[in-house]
Amino acid sequence: MDPRAHWDGIYQSRSVGELSWFQPEARRSLELITRFAPDRSAPIIDVGGGASVLVDDLLDAGYTDLTVLDISAAALATVKERLGAMAPRVRWLEGDILSAPLDEAGYAFWHDRAVFHFLTRAKDRKAYVDRVRQSVRRGGHVLVATFGSDGPTKCSGLPVVRYSVDSLQSEFGPGFHMLASEHEDHRTPDGRSQSFLYCLCRRE
């Protein structure tokens, strides 16, 4: 399976509001980012941002150094169109998180809602954590949200890995100090409940 073709197909076949992970407000992510990265000039990357409204919320909150990375060109085109004249204020990266060009120690805050749980192979999870370690400056923060231990076993036709706080923290290991964790019952557009786990760490 070609991941780009898969995700482009998802975004081209359905409206954003119909997607199971869609949030009309990225409230929990925004609250954690503004709490732990109050400096509006802090460089922030949203990994797998897709057509999420988080970038809209961060721009509205006054953040000025934003990067959105996604494997799907269709997803990025959707959010650029939505932002209109504000789109050039964001750096857009189309690519796979395991190979996309990222600046060394370039970010003060790394945000990922629902990418990490698609990495079902241990070597890919290790590669992801290595990328975080290289790209997030010491003292920076990493917020990863995955399906919780009682969440779905598949999403968009793909298998996922479900996590508890301990199992997610163990994937990152030494060098990441856990600061906060929260559970979210995400309501999908068709009314189903999905268990999400948010874990925030400081890069030591």
Side-chain angles (χ1 to χ4, degrees):
M1 182 199 70
D2 179 352
R4 283 180 173 81
H6 176 81
W7 290 109
D8 278 342
I10 294 288
Y11 280 99
Q12 290 167 346
S13 63
R14 285 180 269 173
S15 69
V16 172
E18 295 174 324
L19 299 172
S20 64
W21 57 88
F22 177 72
Q23 295 175 301
E25 294 179 309
R27 183 179 57 81
R28 184 165 273 100
S29 293
L30 183 64
E31 287 175 353
L32 288 167
I33 292 171
T34 54
R35 176 182 169 191
F36 288 93
D39 179 1
R40 269 30 182 192
S41 66
I44 296 170
I45 183 168
D46 185 14
V47 173
S52 166
V53 299
L54 177 62
V55 67
D56 311 50
D57 295 341
L58 290 171
L59 286 168
D60 289 343
Y63 286 92
T64 59
D65 191 346
L66 301 175
T67 299
V68 176
L69 182 151
D70 201 273
I71 198 169
S72 170
L76 295 179
T78 296
V79 70
K80 287 179 189 178
E81 182 178 0
R82 186 178 70 227
L83 287 174
M86 292 195 298
R89 295 165 55 185
V90 179
R91 181 187 180 197
W92 306 96
L93 292 178
E94 179 192 335
D96 188 318
I97 182 53
L98 301 183
S99 58
L102 299 177
D103 296 334
E104 185 172 351
Y107 305 104
F109 203 104
W110 175 289
H111 175 270
D112 167 5
R113 181 181 179 271
V115 172
F116 190 73
H117 63 207
F118 283 108
L119 302 179
T120 58
R121 299 189 299 180
K123 70 175 185 177
D124 289 340
R125 295 194 294 272
K126 180 182 182 303
Y128 177 106
V129 173
D130 287 344
R131 302 229 72 194
V132 175
R133 189 174 285 110
Q134 294 161 3
S135 303
V136 177
R137 59 188 57 170
R138 292 186 182 276
H141 294 88
V142 180
L143 175 58
V144 175
T146 69
F147 284 135
S149 56
D150 55 345
T153 58
K154 284 190 173 184
C155 180
S156 298
L158 300 176
V160 298
V161 180
R162 300 179 295 179
Y163 290 95
S164 66
V165 173
D166 289 342
S167 64
L168 185 55
Q169 186 174 18
S170 70
E171 292 287 348
F172 283 78
F176 296 92
H177 177 66
M178 179 72 73
L179 297 175
S181 64
E182 297 186 19
H183 176 264
E184 177 183 61
D185 283 318
H186 168 64
R187 287 286 172 182
T188 67
D190 63 3
R192 290 176 294 120
S193 178
Q194 293 181 337
S195 173
F196 269 81
L197 172 69
Y198 288 71
C199 286
L200 187 140
C201 298
R202 183 176 60 239
R203 167 85 165 90
E204 300 291 275

